[in-house]
Amino acid sequence: MKYAIIALALVAGLSIGAAPPQLHRSPVNGVCDAGYYRYGCEECGELVGCILCPENTYSARGAVKCEVCAVGKVSDAGSVSVAACHFAVCEAGSTMTKIGCAKCPKNSFAEQGADACTECPYKQVSPAGSISQWYCHYRPMPGGMYMTEYTDANTVP
């Protein structure tokens, strides 16, 4: 039984040897509401209660553990279904893809939370991951020409 309690603690995100979590509410007819998980063992003489699922997890009614959101997704504490798991807002210079945030390619930019990267104005260039249109600029070259593709300063003749 000792190993079952340790396994339950690890699944619940507790460290071994830590004090048991604070019980948030009592189960109704032995069942916890969605967004909570059941903790303890009545048969073992332990206090039984319902504990709020932490951030980035969720649970259905009657759960004995919280399920973890998919990699790259987040949720509020007490989330009740996988639908509550969502990608966090991407930082400036990145936008959301099917697998998470991705840096904008060169010659484009994105402000924080943008749905898509925006191309720089015609013939302007910017490095990958640019965070605003301010990073878009014409790149002068010898002879009065302008670069139309971003190149690191170290490679400009």
Side-chain angles (χ1 to χ4, degrees):
M1 187 51 138
K2 176 180 177 183
Y3 297 109
I5 293 170
I6 290 172
L8 178 61
L10 291 173
V11 168
L14 305 173
S15 56
I16 304 304
Q22 182 180 357
L23 302 178
H24 288 274
R25 58 173 61 168
S26 296
V28 177
N29 296 325
V31 177
C32 294
D33 291 336
Y36 292 81
Y37 69 96
R38 185 182 163 117
Y39 180 83
C41 170
E42 285 179 273
E43 298 82 27
C44 306
E46 295 177 355
L47 180 62
V48 175
C50 300
I51 299 173
L52 186 70
C53 287
E55 291 180 345
N56 309 327
T57 66
Y58 63 93
S59 73
R61 185 173 187 274
V64 294
K65 69 175 187 161
C66 301
E67 301 295 331
V68 178
C69 293
V71 174
K73 292 191 174 187
V74 297
S75 70
D76 295 330
S79 292
V80 299
S81 74
V82 69
C85 298
H86 58 88
F87 286 108
V89 174
C90 295
E91 294 180 5
S94 302
T95 58
M96 187 54 60
T97 67
K98 290 181 181 179
I99 58 170
C101 295
K103 193 185 260 190
C104 289
K106 63 185 180 178
N107 306 330
S108 67
F109 64 93
E111 295 182 1
Q112 185 171 353
D115 292 332
C117 297
T118 303
E119 289 186 29
C120 289
Y122 184 69
K123 298 233 182 213
Q124 291 187 12
V125 296
S126 71
S130 292
I131 63 174
S132 74
Q133 187 174 342
W134 184 84
Y135 286 85
C136 298
H137 60 280
Y138 292 106
R139 186 80 171 216
M141 292 185 63
M145 303 291 287
Y146 288 93
M147 293 178 68
T148 59
E149 186 173 309
Y150 183 78
T151 304
D152 290 334
N154 295 340
T155 62
V156 175

